[in-house]
């Protein structure tokens, strides 16, 4: 069935470092792909999305490109801040069915 | 605009006691609603979803149940809590625009002692 695999955390970076969180998916068709962020003690917030191959989602300095050839949707940010410390979830949705989430990757950014 | 609220935000309950978590959505009609559980340090597990009043689908057999008594109200219940029910419970609705992504409430943290 459809599924998402994220890189295992936790990830610890210094402020202003470059961030990559890997996400790959398995799906029978062409799903929509998402990144959600969860700050401590809060629910999930939609960070960005992409609905078709080669689409690039972006928000708050984060970017992810829908790569059909590698079935990937890696999250990147050029310069992280302490306030980016959170858990990041990759997710897919196919044919308006359930949304499937990865296990989440905890990011800690140190000053 | 659409909003979603959950309560209580935090709950500490003894083993064997009942549970009721409530979720309400405003600003939309007949939304698809979802209950997820997030165990400590783990990902999201879909528990229940509902496409309308009285319509509940269960993803995982367990001692939890869900009900949808009104269009914009979704309740998660248990008659007798287990230690393993501890976790962070998230309610979500499917957006009507865009690609139908999910929007989440603030979450309810349940600790069973």
């Amino acid at each position: 069935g459809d599924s998402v695999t994220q890189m295992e955390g936790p990830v610890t970076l210094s402020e202003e470092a470059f961030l990559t969180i890997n996400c790959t998916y398995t799906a029978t068709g062409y799903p929509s792909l998402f990144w959600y962020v969860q700050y401590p003690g809060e629910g999930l917030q939609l960070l960005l999305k992409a609905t078709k191959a080669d689409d690039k989602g972006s928000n708050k300095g984060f970017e992810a490109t829908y790569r059909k050839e590698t079935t990937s949707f890696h999250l990147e940010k050029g310069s992280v801040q302490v306030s980016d410390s959170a858990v990041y979830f990759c997710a897919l949705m196919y044919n308006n069915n359930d949304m499937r989430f990865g296990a989440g990757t905890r990011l800690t950014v140190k000053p | 605009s659409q909003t979603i609220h959950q309560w209580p935000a935090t709950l500490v309950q003894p083993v064997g006691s009942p549970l009721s978590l409530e979720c309400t959505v405003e600003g939309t009609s007949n939304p698809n609603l979802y209950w997820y559980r997030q165990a400590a340090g783990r990902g999201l597990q879909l528990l229940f979803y509902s496409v309308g009043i009285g319509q509940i689908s269960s993803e995982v057999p367990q001692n939890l149940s869900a009900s949808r008594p009104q269009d914009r109200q979704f309740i998660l219940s248990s008659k007798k809590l287990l230690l393993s029910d501890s976790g962070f419970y998230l309610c979500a609705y499917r957006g009507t625009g865009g690609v139908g992504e999910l929007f989440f409430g603030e979450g309810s943290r349940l600790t069973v002692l």
Side-chain angles (χ1 to χ4, degrees):
Chain A
D2 300 346
S3 65
V4 173
T5 302
Q6 283 181 240
M7 66 182 286
E8 301 229 354
V11 174
T12 302
L13 296 173
S14 298
E15 206 164 23
E16 300 183 1
F18 184 85
L19 168 72
T20 299
I21 300 178
N22 290 339
C23 171
T24 57
Y25 67 89
T26 302
T28 53
Y30 301 103
S32 296
L33 301 172
F34 308 85
W35 276 101
Y36 282 81
V37 59
Q38 184 181 33
Y39 298 104
E42 298 182 8
L44 275 68
Q45 300 176 26
L46 180 64
L47 182 59
L48 53 83
K49 64 185 178 184
T51 59
K52 61 184 187 297
D54 300 325
D55 265 2
K56 177 184 282 188
S58 61
N59 186 25
K60 300 180 181 179
F62 291 90
E63 293 183 339
T65 302
Y66 190 140
R67 302 284 188 201
K68 191 179 81 171
E69 62 276 12
T70 54
T71 62
S72 65
F73 193 54
H74 305 322
L75 182 68
E76 296 182 336
K77 186 174 185 182
S79 176
V80 294
Q81 305 300 312
V82 172
S83 57
D84 294 325
S85 298
V87 180
Y88 293 83
F89 291 92
C90 186
L92 69 79
M93 186 171 64
Y94 176 59
N95 266 1
N96 229 22
N97 290 328
D98 305 335
M99 185 169 279
R100 301 288 173 174
F101 289 87
T105 302
R106 181 176 300 278
L107 169 66
T108 300
V109 180
K110 297 190 172 182
Chain B
S1 63
Q2 300 162 353
T3 59
I4 179 169
H5 296 289
Q6 290 182 236
W7 68 91
T10 306
L11 197 59
V12 180
Q13 292 286 101
V15 169
S17 64
L19 171 72
S20 181
L21 300 179
E22 190 163 342
C23 171
T24 60
V25 181
E26 299 293 333
T28 184
S29 296
N30 197 32
N32 286 4
L33 297 173
Y34 303 80
W35 277 111
Y36 284 85
R37 176 169 59 198
Q38 185 179 21
R42 299 178 68 178
L44 294 167
Q45 179 186 34
L46 177 62
L47 301 176
F48 301 96
Y49 68 93
S50 171
V51 299
I53 295 174
Q55 300 179 64
I56 309 294
S57 296
S58 174
E59 287 291 304
V60 182
Q62 58 221 324
N63 70 320
L64 299 173
S65 62
S67 62
R68 186 166 176 177
Q70 299 180 41
D71 181 42
R72 289 173 290 180
Q73 184 184 30
F74 203 24
I75 297 172
L76 183 70
S77 304
S78 174
K79 293 182 179 178
K80 288 186 177 182
L81 284 168
L82 306 172
L83 287 174
S84 57
D85 291 324
S86 293
F88 194 51
Y89 289 82
L90 291 158
C91 181
Y93 71 92
R94 183 182 294 281
T96 53
V99 296
E101 57 265 36
L102 297 187
F103 295 92
F104 286 83
E106 310 94 329
S108 297
R109 182 164 302 284
L110 170 66
T111 303
V112 182
L113 301 175

